[in-house]
Amino acid sequence: MEQDEYFLRQAIELAREGMNSGQGGPFGCVIVRNGEVVGQGCNRVTSTNDPTAHAEVVAIRDACQNLRAFQLTDCTLYTSCEPCPMCLGAIYWARPARIVYGALHSDAARAGFDDQFIYEQIDKPREQRSIPMQQHLRPEADAVFQEWIAMEDKLNY
């Protein structure tokens, strides 16, 4: 518990520093393995013009690069706020052992960061989503998956 609070405070401070330095919104994240920070990041959406540059994604990229691995199975991710749907997806792909977060996504919504719209869109059938989706060339696209299945020297992830 004490270690969790220590690293969570680091994530919160990264959120504050990133916000005050104009890097992006008030979000920060640190990734820890065996009591050592192996990756960190703050929100950089507005400073990099990258809508995917959320603190968790930035920290995951940093940790994976530092560890030379594409999974963080023995790590804990500390984030200043409950992850949004995009970050939650990235976190699941990275496969950390745990997530520890500070604020709730409802707290972020009160500050103008409302993820509820995305949660609602995910629950809707494709044809009812606000951004139109069209599916084409399934046999050609699926052929690549069949080639993947047949590969003997692939690195599964």
Side-chain angles (χ1 to χ4, degrees), residues 3-32:
Q3 180 172 314
D4 284 346
E5 290 180 359
Y6 174 79
F7 289 116
L8 187 53
R9 284 189 177 103
Q10 285 188 23
I12 293 167
E13 188 54 32
L14 275 173
R16 183 175 285 112
E17 289 172 10
M19 174 187 69
N20 289 333
S21 66
Q23 293 184 63
F27 303 93
C29 181
V30 295
I31 298 174
V32 175

Side-chain angles (χ1 to χ4, degrees), residues 6-130:
Y6 174 79
F7 289 116
L8 187 53
R9 284 189 177 103
Q10 285 188 23
I12 293 167
E13 188 54 32
L14 275 173
R16 183 175 285 112
E17 289 172 10
M19 174 187 69
N20 289 333
S21 66
Q23 293 184 63
F27 303 93
C29 181
V30 295
I31 298 174
V32 175
R33 182 175 77 174
N34 298 325
E36 179 183 341
V37 174
V38 295
Q40 63 182 13
C42 63
N43 182 288
R44 296 181 182 160
V45 169
T46 57
S47 62
T48 62
N49 295 315
D50 179 355
T52 68
H54 289 201
E56 295 90 340
V57 173
V58 172
I60 288 168
R61 290 174 180 162
D62 187 43
C64 287
Q65 183 176 12
N66 291 335
L67 296 174
R68 298 174 190 239
F70 56 83
Q71 293 184 340
L72 304 171
T73 53
D74 55 350
C75 297
T76 299
L77 186 142
Y78 295 90
T79 182
S80 63
C81 184
E82 183 177 9
C84 75
M86 177 188 71
C87 291
L88 194 56
I91 291 166
Y92 271 92
W93 280 115
R95 294 177 173 81
R98 295 188 314 133
I99 303 166
V100 179
Y101 61 92
L104 297 173
H105 73 267
S106 57
D107 300 325
R110 280 196 309 278
F113 300 95
D114 193 0
D115 304 335
Q116 189 59 39
F117 171 75
I118 299 170
Y119 286 112
E120 291 168 1
Q121 289 294 303
I122 290 170
D123 283 341
K124 289 183 179 185
R126 291 178 190 95
E127 63 277 359
Q128 292 179 12
R129 294 179 183 163
S130 65

